[in-house]
């Protein structure tokens, strides 16, 4: 009732992605929209070595919610049963019923030795260690405004599997991950491809994503984009 009036009566709107901008336009908003993505502090530490491990680690690191596609991820994992891989799930719980469904699904599919759920991690050093130990990042989201966890994965040189329902279709173009139209079948086939890749292939994809992030999402560049935008808004 009131949000559209606010949006129509401001001078500019800031969107974090082209998809968000298009959603506003689809609502009939006529206000000028400026797209500036979230920025990230890109540390010097990242997965720059190819390490042979007994088991590779796939990582889900996001909010535990139905729209994140975790049940579908478990179904796909059970179908392909990737050899010498484990799946680690971290995240705050938005819906306890959904979390219970996840735990029941793990038991139903006999994935207790392949899939592990952990408490959410917020401390920077611990989170950094988790990403650096991961060999791929999985976010089969059914809807995502930006996907900050994808940015974090890319910043550490971790290849990403996500969906067209996130604003990250560019990852396919730059060979930094797998991008799918959300469906159980697509998720299963792409997950099978990703977990069948060699260490060198995974490393190359992760390196491509990190380079793209440094060129487009480095916090120093984003800050300058904000300054230029504010000057435009304030006409100074």
């Amino acid at each position: 009732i009131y949000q559209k009036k606010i949006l129509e009566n401001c001078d500019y709107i800031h969107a974090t992605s082209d998809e968000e901008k298009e959603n506003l336009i689809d609502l009939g908003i006529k206000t000028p929209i400026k797209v500036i993505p979230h920025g990230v502090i890109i540390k010097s530490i990242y997965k720059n070595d190819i390490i042979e491990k007994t088991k590779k680690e796939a990582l889900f690191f996001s909010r535990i919610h139905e729209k994140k596609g975790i049940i579908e991820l478990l179904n796909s994992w059970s179908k392909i049963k990737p050899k010498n891989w484990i799946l680690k799930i971290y995240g705050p719980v938005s819906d306890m019923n959904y979390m219970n469904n996840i735990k029941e699904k793990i038991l139903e599919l006999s994935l207790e030795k392949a899939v592990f759920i952990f408490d959410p991690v917020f401390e920077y050093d611990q989170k950094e260690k988790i990403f650096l130990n991961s060999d791929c990042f999985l976010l089969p989201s059914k809807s995502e405004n930006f996907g900050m966890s994808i940015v974090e994965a890319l910043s550490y040189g971790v290849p990403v599997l996500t969906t067209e329902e996130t604003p990250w279709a560019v990852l396919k173009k730059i060979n930094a991950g797998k991008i799918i139209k959300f469906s159980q079948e697509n998720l299963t086939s792409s997950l099978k491809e990703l977990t069948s890749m060699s260490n060198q292939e995974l490393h190359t994809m992760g390196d491509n994503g990190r380079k793209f992030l440094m060129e487009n999402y480095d916090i120093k560049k984003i800050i300058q984009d904000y300054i230029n935008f504010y000057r435009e808004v304030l006409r100074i």
Side-chain angles (χ1 to χ4, degrees):
I1 295 173
Y2 64 88
Q3 284 183 336
K4 188 172 183 179
K5 184 176 180 180
I6 293 172
L7 294 173
E8 289 177 337
N9 284 278
C10 60
D11 293 312
Y12 288 87
I13 296 172
H14 166 222
T16 59
S17 68
D18 290 328
E19 286 78 2
E20 187 176 51
K21 177 180 177 179
E22 292 302 319
N23 287 338
L24 289 166
I25 292 173
D26 289 343
L27 290 173
I29 304 300
K30 305 297 184 183
T31 307
I33 302 171
K34 180 72 171 181
V35 177
I36 303 177
H38 294 300
V40 61
I41 299 173
I42 302 176
K43 305 284 284 187
S44 59
I45 184 171
Y46 68 104
K47 292 177 68 68
N48 58 346
D49 292 322
I50 301 174
I51 302 173
E52 295 292 339
K53 299 193 295 185
T54 304
K55 287 187 180 293
K56 295 188 179 77
E57 297 182 10
L59 174 65
F60 174 95
F61 195 101
S62 187
R63 188 162 54 97
I64 308 297
H65 189 278
E66 190 275 335
K67 78 169 189 173
K68 304 292 184 176
I70 305 173
I71 294 294
E72 290 83 357
L73 178 57
L74 295 176
N75 287 332
S76 292
W77 196 272
S78 176
K79 282 187 177 181
I80 65 174
K81 294 182 172 62
K83 187 178 180 180
N84 298 325
W85 278 84
I86 58 173
L87 170 60
K88 293 186 174 182
I89 298 175
Y90 291 83
V93 179
S94 299
D95 183 341
M96 187 53 69
N97 288 331
Y98 187 64
M99 172 58 92
N100 291 334
N101 290 340
I102 291 171
K103 293 178 178 178
E104 291 171 5
K105 179 62 71 171
I106 291 173
L107 295 175
E108 176 191 327
L109 298 174
S110 301
L111 293 174
E112 302 95 317
K113 294 183 179 180
V115 179
F116 304 92
I117 299 176
F118 299 90
D119 291 334
V121 172
F122 303 103
E123 203 276 325
Y124 184 83
D125 289 341
Q126 291 181 15
K127 188 161 64 169
E128 185 173 83
K129 184 177 180 180
I130 291 168
F131 276 96
L132 289 173
N133 284 335
S134 300
D135 297 283
C136 69
F137 180 79
L138 311 176
L139 187 67
S141 185
K142 302 171 185 177
S143 173
E144 203 73 43
N145 177 51
F146 184 74
M148 197 63 195
S149 57
I150 293 175
V151 174
E152 288 183 298
L154 294 173
S155 73
Y156 290 111
V158 181
V160 172
L161 187 159
T162 190
T163 68
E164 293 178 3
E165 284 68 29
T166 74
W168 288 97
V170 68
L171 298 185
K172 180 179 180 180
K173 180 179 178 181
I174 63 172
N175 187 32
K178 296 286 184 180
I179 308 297
I180 63 169
K181 181 69 177 176
F182 183 87
S183 75
Q184 189 70 71
E185 182 180 356
N186 290 341
L187 179 56
T188 300
S189 61
S190 289
L191 186 61
K192 184 176 182 179
E193 289 178 14
L194 191 65
T195 54
S196 298
M197 288 182 174
S198 66
N199 288 332
Q200 180 61 62
E201 289 172 315
L202 292 170
H203 176 79
T204 298
M205 294 178 82
D207 199 39
N208 290 341
R210 178 178 163 82
K211 288 177 180 176
F212 174 80
L213 204 69
M214 292 177 70
E215 293 171 1
N216 295 276
Y217 292 87
D218 184 88
I219 193 66
K220 295 177 182 178
K221 175 188 179 299
I222 299 301
I223 288 173
Q224 189 58 54
D225 288 345
Y226 271 111
I227 291 172
N228 294 339
F229 176 47
Y230 293 153
R231 283 175 174 163
E232 182 182 350
V233 172
L234 298 172
R235 295 174 176 84
I236 59 174

